[in-house]
């Protein structure tokens, strides 16, 4: 029989081994590996993938590996980013990464067969894809080509992305795996932070922590801060014994006993009893309440609740109710407007729609709805501020529109909520703990019938106020944009659940299945979005600070006298000229004043209804007087809501649209200059303090290193120009949008850059 074993070599060489220096070795290919978080695993991957950067040319495309994990899709490349320097970096996500919960739609394309398919979960793909297009919820579009990749590998990675981005159960979201890994390995820390540690701030001067309102003491401190002496913290829902969509602790009138609350709770939808939100210094309270479903008991219970609120007012003033379901757009209308806005910002080439773009924007109704919320909130501010009456926001379930309205009212009335820590505490109090349905409204589980961008609408309304009163807000529009992005990351418990009880229930079940010992904890502790060090370096967190902000400790001093921002009579009258009567003052028309149908409905005292005309005149006079006086940055601020004063939030909606970018232009150039000036002022103040105290030079140097500005002055005589990387999309990169003709910008930007005059959009399309 023949042996298959190879015979041993018998030749022996007696020559010395040759030097191999002259032999040309093949270049070593760097292995591209994703950066993984605790609990994150690679599900599928494919090599030799091309990421497209523009639809009209491939010269800027990047080559690399496409990886799907249980947290994100990650494109890993060694190629440099084209044309745009990228200075903002998320520590959890790479420059080309997309969280799975940010994916809205997955489309696979086969060029040769001219087929395309929208991939859903557990679907089969009958053709090998040559292209993958991912539509994201943040208006971004990402496109990959598989021309050089293995066809089977490309198909598998597409199916993996479709499957893991559309989970069928809450516990399949990545946050559970992440937290489970942390509990099993307590020594693990991400970016030096203990995940789930709490609500840290972002480096405020006081080092203040963001209250999460999960404990009795947080609510008690808020009562004392607002001076609500006739209100108390109620623990009747401890252990969620009364309602699963209310927090364990909330604030109620002192005259309402726990036994009464238990009895009344059965009559409210979702057993959501009235919730106190805030108290005005004059004693007026802001209260949220669900509808009473028990028709027979409705009048009696409503009377009892209103009487209790009245007794909690030092002047025993009237109670006003606002039926939000009747006077504000509903969640379906807001969702429809958002879809139209997205189509306008993403799918339409700007060059082709320039003439009709503004009318198309108007047809989305997005800005109209922004105006509605601002206007109605301003009306309620008048009721509390001028009429000294308590306001009750009534809604069917009391956990959607009331979140937005209550938050806006408090931002307008209380300067604390215009600071970073205060704003974060407001979101915790009015959204997270009050049971806003982040899981359904953000559509983390792809149940589109419940999706609605109410939280984005709120941030947009706050941005409008920030745009009109920049010196009144400690945070910047970059902060608001990043906060919106963070709601799309399936890691933070802040934006993951429909209510606090769901977090406790689901995480407890998960802990039992994974043999995690909870001890005295009420469910797992998920990372908190307010721990910004999880996502950003201390340098990048400085982008959150607004250089124009004037805090109480930093008055504006000019020529030795304290100055405030003033609105002159000329400016005031110019806002009225040419406007329709319904928009006088940029706030509220005379015909729109309360009481009117579907708006503020006066309860309890019918005789007050006879004073509607005088009340309308007083409201008109209040707004007229307010706009005629200098703005108090630490008092009430009211929105201007005329057609030209409600703007589109371009940094948020256009950041992935290269045609809309302005190199060395936009608000960021002013942001850069103001930052340098603010830093110079800080440097001068520190030098003066050091000079007066005669402290050591070493102490002075350490103090000079402290700055809250992202752009810092190198010296007091710094005259450096605008950095090359600045554009109107800073600090976001516009190269992620891939449904555009080019990443070089608009014809106007090319012309301003010294190129020839473009005669038509057709010329642009043919020009490379």
């Amino acid at each position: 029989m023949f042996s298959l074993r190879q015979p041993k070599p018998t030749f022996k060489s007696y020559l010395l081994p040759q030097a191999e220096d002259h032999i040309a070795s093949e270049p070593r290919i760097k292995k591209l590996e994703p950066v993984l978080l605790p609990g994150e695993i690679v599900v599928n991957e494919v090599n030799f993938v091309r990421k497209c950067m523009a639809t009209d040319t491939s010269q800027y495309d990047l080559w690399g590996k496409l990886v799907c994990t249980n947290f994100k899709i990650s494109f890993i490349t060694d190629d440099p980013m084209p044309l745009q320097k990228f200075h903002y970096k998320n520590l959890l996500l790479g420059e080309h990464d997309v969280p799975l919960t940010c994916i809205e739609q997955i489309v696979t394309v086969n060029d040769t067969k001219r087929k395309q398919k929208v991939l859903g979960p557990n679907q089969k793909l009958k053709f090998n894809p040559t292209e993958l297009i991912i539509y994201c919820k943040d208006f971004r579009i990402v496109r990959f080509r598989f021309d050089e990749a293995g066809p089977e590998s490309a198909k598998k990675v597409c199916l993996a992305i479709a499957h893991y981005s559309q989970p069928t159960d809450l516990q399949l979201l990545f946050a559970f795996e992440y937290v489970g890994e942390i509990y099993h390995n307590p020594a693990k820390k991400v970016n030096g932070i203990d995940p789930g540690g709490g609500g840290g701030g972002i480096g405020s001067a006081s080092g203040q922590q963001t209250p999460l309102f999960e404990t009795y003491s947080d609510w008690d401190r808020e009562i004392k801060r607002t001076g609500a002496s006739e209100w108390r913290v109620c623990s009747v829902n401890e252990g969620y014994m009364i309602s699963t969509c209310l927090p364990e602790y909330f604030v109620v009138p002192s005259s309402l006993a726990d036994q009464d609350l238990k009895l009344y709770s059965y009559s409210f939808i979702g057993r959501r009893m009235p919730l106190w939100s805030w108290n005005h210094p004059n004693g007026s309270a802001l209260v949220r309440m669900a509808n009473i479903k028990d028709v027979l008991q409705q009048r009696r219970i409503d009377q009892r609740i209103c009487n209790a609120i009245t007794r909690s007012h030092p002047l025993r003033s009237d109670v006003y109710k606002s039926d939000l379901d009747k006077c504000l757009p509903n969640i379906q209308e807001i969702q429809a407007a958002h879809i139209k806005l997205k189509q306008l910002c993403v799918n339409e080439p700007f060059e082709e729609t320039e003439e009709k773009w503004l009318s198309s924007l108007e047809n989305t109704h997005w800005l109209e709805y922004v105006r509605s919320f601002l206007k109605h909130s301003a009306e309620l501010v008048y009721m509390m501020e001028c009429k000294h009456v308590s306001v009750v926001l009534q809604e069917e379930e009391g956990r959607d529109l009331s979140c937005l309205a209550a938050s806006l009212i408090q931002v307008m009335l209380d300067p604390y909520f215009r600071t970073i820590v205060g704003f974060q505490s407001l979101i915790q109090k009015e959204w997270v703990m009050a049971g806003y349905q982040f899981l359904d409204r953000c559509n983390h589980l792809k149940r589109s019938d419940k999706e609605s961008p109410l939280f984005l609408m709120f941030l947009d309304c706050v941005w409008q106020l920030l745009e009109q009163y920049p010196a009144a807000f400690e945070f910047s529009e970059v902060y608001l944009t990043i906060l919106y992005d963070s709601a799309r990351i399936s890691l933070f418990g802040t934006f993951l659940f429909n209510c606090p009880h769901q977090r406790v229930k689901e995480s407890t079940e998960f802990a039992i299945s994974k043999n995690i010992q909870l001890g005295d904890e009420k469910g797992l502790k998920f990372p908190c979005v307010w721990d910004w060090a999880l996502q950003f370096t201390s340098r990048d967190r400085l982008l959150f600070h607004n250089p124009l902000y004037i805090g109480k400790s930093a008055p504006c001093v000019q020529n030795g006298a304290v100055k405030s921002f003033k609105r002159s009579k000329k400016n005031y009258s110019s806002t009225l000229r040419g406007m329709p009567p319904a928009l006088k003052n940029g706030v509220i028309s005379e015909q729109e004043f309360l009481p009117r149908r579907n708006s503020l409905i006066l309860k309890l005292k019918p005789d007050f209804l006879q004073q509607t005309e005088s009340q309308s005149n007083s409201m008109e006079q209040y707004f007229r007087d307010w706009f005629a006086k200098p703005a108090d940055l630490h008092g009430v601020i009211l929105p201007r809501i005329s057609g030209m004063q409600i703007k589109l939030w371009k940094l948020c909606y256009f950041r992935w649209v290269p045609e809309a970018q302005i190199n060395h232009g936009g608000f960021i150039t002013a942001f850069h200059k103001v930052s340098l000036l603010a830093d110079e002022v800080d440097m001068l103040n520190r030098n003066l303090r050091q000079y007066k105290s005669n402290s050591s030079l070493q102490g002075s140097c350490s103090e000079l290193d402290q700055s809250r500005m992202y752009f810092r002055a190198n010296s007091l005589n710094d005259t450096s120009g605008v950095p090359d990387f600045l554009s109107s999309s800073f600090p976001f990169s516009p190269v992620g949008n891939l449904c555009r003709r080019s990443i070089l910008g608009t014809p106007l930007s090319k012309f301003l850059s010294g190129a020839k005059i473009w005669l038509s959009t057709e010329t642009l399309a043919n020009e490379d």
Side-chain angles (χ1 to χ4, degrees), residues 122 159 273 325 391 522 650 674 684 754:
N122 303 319
L159 292 172
M273 294 168 283
D325 289 321
V391 170
K522 295 179 180 179
K650 295 178 182 178
V674 171
L684 286 169

PDB file of all heavy atoms in Angstrom, residues 122 159 273 325 391 522 650 674 684 754:
ATOM      1  N   ASN A 122     -36.456  39.807   9.992  1.00  0.00           N
ATOM      2  CA  ASN A 122     -36.740  38.409   9.642  1.00  0.00           C
ATOM      3  C   ASN A 122     -37.221  38.251   8.205  1.00  0.00           C
ATOM      4  O   ASN A 122     -38.033  37.370   7.894  1.00  0.00           O
ATOM      5  CB  ASN A 122     -37.787  37.814  10.606  1.00  0.00           C
ATOM      6  CG  ASN A 122     -37.349  37.898  12.058  1.00  0.00           C
ATOM      7  OD1 ASN A 122     -36.183  37.658  12.367  1.00  0.00           O
ATOM      8  ND2 ASN A 122     -38.268  38.268  12.946  1.00  0.00           N
ATOM      9  N   LEU A 159     -28.782  41.747   6.071  1.00  0.00           N
ATOM     10  CA  LEU A 159     -29.829  41.085   6.847  1.00  0.00           C
ATOM     11  C   LEU A 159     -29.594  41.251   8.347  1.00  0.00           C
ATOM     12  O   LEU A 159     -30.550  41.393   9.121  1.00  0.00           O
ATOM     13  CB  LEU A 159     -29.890  39.605   6.477  1.00  0.00           C
ATOM     14  CG  LEU A 159     -30.382  39.289   5.058  1.00  0.00           C
ATOM     15  CD1 LEU A 159     -30.220  37.799   4.734  1.00  0.00           C
ATOM     16  CD2 LEU A 159     -31.842  39.703   4.893  1.00  0.00           C
ATOM     17  N   MET A 273     -53.240  61.164  38.591  1.00  0.00           N
ATOM     18  CA  MET A 273     -53.760  62.259  39.412  1.00  0.00           C
ATOM     19  C   MET A 273     -53.069  63.580  39.050  1.00  0.00           C
ATOM     20  O   MET A 273     -52.045  63.577  38.370  1.00  0.00           O
ATOM     21  CB  MET A 273     -53.533  61.930  40.885  1.00  0.00           C
ATOM     22  CG  MET A 273     -54.336  60.732  41.356  1.00  0.00           C
ATOM     23  SD  MET A 273     -53.795  60.171  42.981  1.00  0.00           S
ATOM     24  CE  MET A 273     -52.288  59.310  42.581  1.00  0.00           C
ATOM     25  N   ASP A 325     -55.750  69.275  24.329  1.00  0.00           N
ATOM     26  CA  ASP A 325     -56.190  68.447  23.201  1.00  0.00           C
ATOM     27  C   ASP A 325     -56.978  69.258  22.178  1.00  0.00           C
ATOM     28  O   ASP A 325     -57.038  68.894  21.005  1.00  0.00           O
ATOM     29  CB  ASP A 325     -57.051  67.282  23.694  1.00  0.00           C
ATOM     30  CG  ASP A 325     -56.230  66.241  24.447  1.00  0.00           C
ATOM     31  OD1 ASP A 325     -55.100  65.973  24.015  1.00  0.00           O
ATOM     32  OD2 ASP A 325     -56.719  65.729  25.468  1.00  0.00           O
ATOM     33  N   VAL A 391     -52.714  77.681  36.960  1.00  0.00           N
ATOM     34  CA  VAL A 391     -53.065  77.139  35.645  1.00  0.00           C
ATOM     35  C   VAL A 391     -53.003  75.623  35.691  1.00  0.00           C
ATOM     36  O   VAL A 391     -52.028  75.045  36.192  1.00  0.00           O
ATOM     37  CB  VAL A 391     -52.110  77.679  34.558  1.00  0.00           C
ATOM     38  CG1 VAL A 391     -52.318  76.931  33.241  1.00  0.00           C
ATOM     39  CG2 VAL A 391     -52.320  79.171  34.357  1.00  0.00           C
ATOM     40  N   LYS A 522     -33.893  49.354  43.118  1.00  0.00           N
ATOM     41  CA  LYS A 522     -35.160  49.218  42.403  1.00  0.00           C
ATOM     42  C   LYS A 522     -34.869  49.143  40.911  1.00  0.00           C
ATOM     43  O   LYS A 522     -34.927  50.122  40.185  1.00  0.00           O
ATOM     44  CB  LYS A 522     -36.070  50.404  42.713  1.00  0.00           C
ATOM     45  CG  LYS A 522     -36.496  50.481  44.175  1.00  0.00           C
ATOM     46  CD  LYS A 522     -37.383  51.693  44.423  1.00  0.00           C
ATOM     47  CE  LYS A 522     -37.808  51.771  45.876  1.00  0.00           C
ATOM     48  NZ  LYS A 522     -38.659  52.963  46.155  1.00  0.00           N
ATOM     49  N   LYS A 650     -31.587  75.430  11.440  1.00  0.00           N
ATOM     50  CA  LYS A 650     -30.749  74.912  10.363  1.00  0.00           C
ATOM     51  C   LYS A 650     -29.648  73.983  10.857  1.00  0.00           C
ATOM     52  O   LYS A 650     -29.330  72.993  10.198  1.00  0.00           O
ATOM     53  CB  LYS A 650     -30.141  76.079   9.586  1.00  0.00           C
ATOM     54  CG  LYS A 650     -31.177  76.918   8.848  1.00  0.00           C
ATOM     55  CD  LYS A 650     -30.524  78.081   8.126  1.00  0.00           C
ATOM     56  CE  LYS A 650     -31.574  78.938   7.438  1.00  0.00           C
ATOM     57  NZ  LYS A 650     -30.966  80.112   6.764  1.00  0.00           N
ATOM     58  N   VAL A 674     -17.237  85.796  19.461  1.00  0.00           N
ATOM     59  CA  VAL A 674     -17.751  86.059  20.808  1.00  0.00           C
ATOM     60  C   VAL A 674     -17.013  85.212  21.837  1.00  0.00           C
ATOM     61  O   VAL A 674     -16.725  85.669  22.952  1.00  0.00           O
ATOM     62  CB  VAL A 674     -19.268  85.798  20.854  1.00  0.00           C
ATOM     63  CG1 VAL A 674     -19.784  85.858  22.289  1.00  0.00           C
ATOM     64  CG2 VAL A 674     -20.007  86.807  20.004  1.00  0.00           C
ATOM     65  N   LEU A 684      -8.754  88.768  31.611  1.00  0.00           N
ATOM     66  CA  LEU A 684      -8.525  90.053  32.274  1.00  0.00           C
ATOM     67  C   LEU A 684      -9.006  90.017  33.717  1.00  0.00           C
ATOM     68  O   LEU A 684      -8.324  90.513  34.626  1.00  0.00           O
ATOM     69  CB  LEU A 684      -9.236  91.163  31.503  1.00  0.00           C
ATOM     70  CG  LEU A 684      -8.596  91.596  30.178  1.00  0.00           C
ATOM     71  CD1 LEU A 684      -9.539  92.496  29.396  1.00  0.00           C
ATOM     72  CD2 LEU A 684      -7.278  92.323  30.437  1.00  0.00           C
ATOM     73  N   GLY A 754     -14.369  81.883  -5.870  1.00  0.00           N
ATOM     74  CA  GLY A 754     -13.521  82.275  -6.989  1.00  0.00           C
ATOM     75  C   GLY A 754     -13.753  81.480  -8.247  1.00  0.00           C
ATOM     76  O   GLY A 754     -13.049  81.668  -9.244  1.00  0.00           O
TER      77      GLY A 754
END
